Amino acid sequence: IDQPAPAIAMTFFDGSSTTELTALRGKVVVLNFWGSWCDPCRREMPAFERIHQEGAPDVAIVGINAKADRIENAMAFLAETGASYQIVRDQGSDNPDHGLIEQAFGVGRYYPVTIFIRPDGVIDAVQVGEITESQIRDAIAAAQA
């Protein structure tokens, strides 16, 4: 918290394109690390979707699928939850379970993890474990302040 977010590249889930986290500067960025095996992830995903559907131009929600997740399980999970916000798949690294994004942010064994980044690129808050819609909204408001 209060440290610059790591400069990371993110590959979209379909593998078709990549973006840099720095390209989202000027917005509150909400990074949500999830895995298809994670029941709390399943419960909180609709809240992220509702906030995304509101279309706030100054908020970017990005779901980051755990490297350890099997692609077919992750795809089924996304189809079931109907998430339409940006979804990236964590990749890279020699670690079979944790990709470069998880390592850059220090995400470990526990899911979900949600990181809120201020428009200036500084980490504002980290939530380990399930988060409610009101907590997401409060954290976004705090990061905008």
Side-chain angles (χ1 to χ4, degrees):
I1 296 176
D2 291 328
Q3 298 296 313
I8 56 166
M10 301 181 290
T11 302
F12 292 105
F13 198 77
D14 62 6
S16 65
S17 60
T18 62
T19 189
E20 300 286 328
L21 182 59
T22 55
L24 299 175
R25 287 260 168 90
K27 299 180 179 192
V28 171
V29 179
V30 181
L31 301 179
N32 177 248
F33 293 82
W34 61 274
S36 64
W37 66 86
C38 168
D39 288 334
C41 300
R42 184 176 312 277
R43 289 191 300 267
E44 70 182 15
M45 200 167 268
F48 289 108
E49 180 64 19
R50 283 190 293 277
I51 293 167
H52 167 71
Q53 287 297 323
E54 292 170 3
D58 57 347
V59 176
I61 296 176
V62 181
I64 301 174
N65 179 234
K67 180 180 180 181
D69 210 348
R70 295 178 53 141
I71 190 83
E72 59 272 14
N73 294 345
M75 291 177 68
F77 180 92
L78 290 172
E80 180 183 319
T81 62
S84 66
Y85 49 90
Q86 295 180 9
I87 302 290
V88 300
R89 183 146 171 89
D90 204 356
Q91 301 176 358
S93 90
D94 294 334
N95 186 312
D97 296 322
H98 301 288
L100 293 174
I101 301 171
E102 290 173 303
Q103 289 179 6
F105 282 96
V107 174
R109 300 175 27 194
Y110 302 103
Y111 295 89
V113 173
T114 306
I115 298 173
F116 297 87
I117 303 171
R118 295 181 208 138
D120 65 359
V122 173
I123 297 171
D124 193 68
V126 176
Q127 167 72 37
V128 178
E130 189 171 352
I131 191 168
T132 67
E133 186 169 342
S134 65
Q135 289 172 314
I136 297 167
R137 291 182 186 282
D138 289 348
I140 288 171
Q144 289 171 326

